[in-house]
Amino acid sequence: MVDDTARQTARALVAAQPFGPSDEGIVGWLQRLCRSVVDELPAAGAGVSIIDGTGFTGVVAASDQVTKSLEDLQFTLGEGPCLDAY
């Protein structure tokens, strides 16, 4: 049996799917995914950040400006959930 969180996650992924050719590329899709996650799950914000093998960090997408600022802040301070997970 699939629980409600799994259903909500699936709905967020489906809602973010492109419906045709688009110029927005992967970054635009990730933006839509972040907004869909917030719409479908009990979350105040969602973001996607990257850390590569050379130590480069960056925010790729966020559901809103506040979340983007929080994502940026963790790299500025050198601490936060993204860095902890990495």
Side-chain angles (χ1 to χ4, degrees):
M1 185 163 151
V2 179
D3 67 8
D4 286 339
T5 302
R7 282 192 184 100
Q8 290 170 317
T9 303
R11 280 196 299 266
L13 289 169
V14 169
Q17 289 296 316
F19 290 102
S22 172
D23 294 332
E24 65 186 353
I26 188 69
V27 173
W29 182 82
L30 288 170
Q31 288 287 136
R32 286 187 290 119
L33 177 62
C34 289
R35 288 190 298 269
S36 293
V37 164
V38 173
D39 290 343
E40 296 293 336
L41 297 173
V48 177
S49 295
I50 58 168
I51 302 174
D52 73 10
T54 68
F56 171 79
T57 60
V59 179
V60 178
S63 58
D64 56 77
Q65 189 57 46
V66 171
T67 300
K68 183 184 181 313
S69 295
L70 291 171
E71 292 278 330
D72 285 330
L73 186 60
Q74 69 182 337
F75 296 122
T76 301
L77 296 175
E79 62 181 69
C82 233
L83 295 170
D84 290 346
Y86 178 75

